[in-house]
Each structure stands twice: as C-alpha cells, then as structure tokens.
Amino acid sequence: MFDQLEIVENRYEQLNELLSDPDVVSDPNKLREYSKEQSDLEETVQVYREYKDVKTQLNEAKDMQKEATDSDMKEMIKEEIAELEPQIEPFEERLKLLLIPKDPNDDKNVVMEIRGAAGGDEANIFAGDLYRMYSRYAEENGLKIDVMESAPADQGGFKEISFTIIGNGAFSKLKYENGAHRVQRVPTTESGGRIHTSTATVAVLPEVEDVEIDIRQEDLKIETYRSSGAGGQHVNTTDSAVRITHLPTGIVATSSEKSQIKNREKAMKLLKTRVYDQMVQEEQSKYDEQRKSAVGTGDRSERIRTYNYPQNRVTDHRIGLTIQKLDQIMEGNIQEIIDALSIEEQTHKLEELNSGNVI
C-alpha cells in the first residue's frame, strides 16, 4: 500500500510542475486534464502526509524512550506515545479507502431515463412518482434538472421521461438507482381495494462529453416535427421539435421545446449519451461477472427495490435494507439509501483490495 501511496505523492508533485509549465497553461485541454487529476489526488496526498508526520513523531518518540534516563522525561515521552499510537490505525484505514479506484464518472452530470414497465397505467403513474422523487432530491441537494424528452401518459405519470441532473457529483449520488423499481399499492382506479404490483425501470447514465465520443454527421438522420401534434413529418417552418436517429445503431433521441436550436442541442446530447452507453454496455458485457458490483449497478432488468405503500415500507433487495418511511422517501429523502449502498460498495472494494484481487 505504501509503495502505491509514494507513487501517488510523486505524481501529485509532478502535476504541480506540469501546471506551471507554459506549454500546459496555454493548452486548455491539458490544463483541464491535469487540474482534475491533481484535484482527484489531493485528499489522498494530504492524508498520507499527515500520516507520515504522525508516524515520524511516533518513531522519534520511541527512539527517545529507549535513550531517556530521567523519569520525568520518560513519563512525558510515554504520554506522547499514548497520544500518537491510536492515530495510526484510523489513518491507515482511511488511506486504504482513498486508494480504492474512483469511478471516473462520479463527478459527471447524470442522464436518467424512467419508463413505465409492467402494470399498464399504474406503472406509468409510478414512473411519474419516481420522477418527482428524484426531482425533490435534486432540489434538496442543489442539483438542477433539465427535461430532455418525455411522453406523458393519459392517466397520469409518464410512459417514459429522460432528463439530466446537473451538478458536481450527480452521478456518484444517483448511479445506484439503475434498475427495476417495483411498487405495491392500491391504484386509484381500483374500486375493489386490491393491491396491485407494478414496475418502472430507471436507467442512470453519465452524461457524455464531446471528447469521449465522435459521431459522424453522415451517420445521423435529423428530422423536425410539430411538438404539439402527434408527431410525423411536416414541411411547415414552425416545426420546432427535433428527432435525431443514429443510423448505425438505430438509437433515437428527441426534444420538443419551443426553440429548434435548443432542441437540436438537447437531442444531440441525449443521443451521444445513449450511443456511448450502448458501446460501454456491449464492451462490459464481455466481462459481465467481473464488472458486476456488490450492489448490482449493471443490469437494468434487475429488480432492485420495492415500494410497499400499505406498510409505508421501502426495501432495497441488493443489500437487504428496509426502511419504514416510504412517505418521506417519495418526497425525495433517499440519502439514507444512497449512503447505505455506497458504504456496501466501499466495503466490498476494500475486501477485494485487502485480498489482493483486482478491483
């Protein structure tokens, strides 16, 4: 571990020099890349230096203890050792956690896509409830929501809705929401009072930057249509909604605000995210068993959570967590679940690190 920490500290010092290099300062891409890398390493280096300082003080105190002859001096040294020794293990545990490879997507904005699945109208209504839950969570955590495309359902909620959550670390907070969410409740349309089970799926994708994927213009089919109508093609110049199809994959993205320019930007951003995600999924599926994390963030068909309204209960099946406050959760208070999933994932990775397996 300490060899690894020395490498991290040396790299941090190297980045300090690079960020003072005129060639780097004049290159915005390199400057951004090196600044981010340095920022990612900063906490690890700071903690490691604090640890080395405490370790040095402890070793010096132990050396002095061996040589001391005065009883008062011995007592002072003994007290100093007693103060320093308990600090070593917490430092080492924290450094182990800091050495766990960070998800490179954690700092990114997140694109979420919610779809009503099994359960007809009730599934669509539940999709709307989930959208509201994530909207409230974003609002409480200083994150911004930008709806990219939506298909409202006749009885309420959404057949599907795609939106970006914008803010530092958005993906790290919401990546564990990826999967099938199940609801158990009496639908408003149910006259007999019977409990129905319905599902909605949530896809969580890191927003793609232009530098990560290059989509050729000749691979795109761009169409405009009237956002207020049922869709279809029109020659009227007032058509503002935009549909972009990526011909090699068949992936489609749309946006239907008033401004055609904004719609093109939004649809293109959403398309890039979807195409990139498909590429990543195809590549990772080759190593499916290796890539699956302890809390199962990979498979979108996996049932991850049940929302039981009659018992005011939410259960996350991946870690066996049950919380008896569904009413608060549906108001966006999901941090307790997010924290539990994050801790479980860190614990799993720490076990892998201690066992010597590759994370």
Side-chain angles (χ1 to χ4, degrees), residues 106-160:
D106 274 354
D107 293 333
K108 293 183 179 179
N109 298 333
V110 62
V111 174
M112 297 189 78
E113 300 181 340
I114 305 175
R115 292 179 172 84
D121 291 337
E122 175 64 7
N124 295 334
I125 292 169
F126 181 51
D129 293 338
L130 289 175
Y131 170 67
R132 181 178 181 276
M133 179 181 80
Y134 295 126
S135 298
R136 295 299 298 272
Y137 175 78
E139 182 182 334
E140 290 296 320
N141 286 272
L143 305 172
K144 180 185 173 185
I145 281 198
D146 185 14
V147 175
M148 305 181 84
E149 62 180 12
S150 66
D154 293 338
Q155 299 301 318
F158 299 95
K159 295 176 184 176
E160 60 181 272

Side-chain angles (χ1 to χ4, degrees), residues 51-177:
Y51 167 79
K52 287 197 296 183
D53 184 50
V54 171
K55 190 76 172 175
T56 299
Q57 291 180 55
L58 179 60
N59 290 336
E60 288 175 352
K62 286 181 176 180
D63 290 341
M64 289 173 63
Q65 188 180 45
K66 293 175 185 176
E67 299 172 1
T69 56
D70 182 78
S71 58
D72 289 341
M73 178 63 74
K74 283 184 176 181
E75 188 61 32
M76 287 175 61
I77 294 171
K78 184 179 177 182
E79 289 176 3
E80 185 178 358
I81 291 172
E83 182 181 335
L84 292 169
E85 274 187 331
Q87 298 180 43
I88 297 299
E89 187 176 346
F91 264 120
E92 291 178 349
E93 289 303 312
R94 189 176 174 194
L95 285 167
K96 285 180 184 178
L97 288 173
L98 288 169
L99 281 177
I100 293 173
K102 185 180 177 183
D103 187 331
N105 294 318
D106 274 354
D107 293 333
K108 293 183 179 179
N109 298 333
V110 62
V111 174
M112 297 189 78
E113 300 181 340
I114 305 175
R115 292 179 172 84
D121 291 337
E122 175 64 7
N124 295 334
I125 292 169
F126 181 51
D129 293 338
L130 289 175
Y131 170 67
R132 181 178 181 276
M133 179 181 80
Y134 295 126
S135 298
R136 295 299 298 272
Y137 175 78
E139 182 182 334
E140 290 296 320
N141 286 272
L143 305 172
K144 180 185 173 185
I145 281 198
D146 185 14
V147 175
M148 305 181 84
E149 62 180 12
S150 66
D154 293 338
Q155 299 301 318
F158 299 95
K159 295 176 184 176
E160 60 181 272
I161 181 168
S162 301
F163 53 98
T164 307
I165 297 183
I166 303 162
N168 187 38
F171 185 77
S172 68
K173 296 178 176 71
L174 292 162
K175 61 184 176 181
Y176 300 117
E177 297 303 298

Side-chain angles (χ1 to χ4, degrees), residues 148-150 225 227 240-242 254-259 263:
M148 305 181 84
E149 62 180 12
S150 66
Y225 60 97
S227 58
S240 62
V242 173
T254 66
S255 184
S256 54
E257 290 189 357
K258 293 180 180 178
S259 167
N263 285 333

